[in-house]
């Protein structure tokens, strides 16, 4: 909330989708990309490295790395956010479509 200027409700929605995103990354056959809003939650969770590592181990048996691509012209090789949101839904998580409509930011699980 404080770092990105989001209200409590929005911050909770972002974190919910970030957790679902990490779970999807653990189960996806190829890299996935978050939307800009979901990426904020992922970045925040990454700062709590012990908790993040424990979560990754529990849901996927491995650490889910963040591999940003700072060159906007380079192909990321990750599924676009819309495909990522669809994967999250197929895994049984609720998808907050409003948070996935935002454009993606560089960075994907690899």
């Amino acid at each position: 909330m404080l770092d990105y200027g989001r209200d409590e409700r929005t911050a909770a929605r972002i974190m919910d989708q970030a957790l679902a995103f990490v779970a999807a990354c653990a189960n996806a056959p190829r890299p996935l990309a978050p939307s800009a809003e979901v990426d904020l939650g992922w970045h925040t969770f990454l700062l709590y490295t012990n908790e993040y590592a424990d979560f990754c181990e529990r849901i996927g048996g491995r650490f889910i790395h963040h591999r940003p691509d700072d060159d906007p012209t380079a192909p990321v090789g990750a599924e676009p956010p819309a495909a990522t949101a669809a994967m999250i839904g197929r895994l049984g998580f609720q998808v907050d479509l409003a948070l996935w409509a935002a454009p993606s930011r560089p960075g994907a699980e690899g």
Side-chain angles (χ1 to χ4, degrees):
M1 289 175 12
L2 299 176
D3 290 344
Y4 300 109
R6 302 303 190 271
D7 60 69
E8 186 174 351
R9 182 175 177 276
T10 302
R13 289 174 48 220
I14 289 170
M15 286 308 300
D16 174 75
Q17 294 298 283
L19 295 173
F21 169 74
V22 174
C25 287
N27 293 286
R30 43 179 285 149
L32 302 174
S35 67
E37 286 295 290
V38 175
D39 200 38
L40 298 177
W42 190 18
H43 285 197
T44 300
F45 195 15
L46 281 163
L47 294 175
Y48 296 86
T49 55
N50 289 333
E51 293 84 352
Y52 180 76
D54 289 345
F55 180 79
C56 290
E57 188 64 34
R58 280 194 318 273
I59 57 101
R62 65 185 172 90
F63 189 86
I64 308 300
H65 291 277
H66 184 285
R67 292 188 170 92
D69 182 355
D70 295 332
D71 179 358
T73 64
V76 174
E79 294 289 344
T84 299
M87 167 77 74
I88 288 170
R90 284 193 303 275
L91 290 171
F93 296 102
Q94 186 158 351
V95 177
D96 187 335
L97 291 175
L99 294 178
W100 287 96
S104 64
R105 293 177 53 158
E109 184 275 327

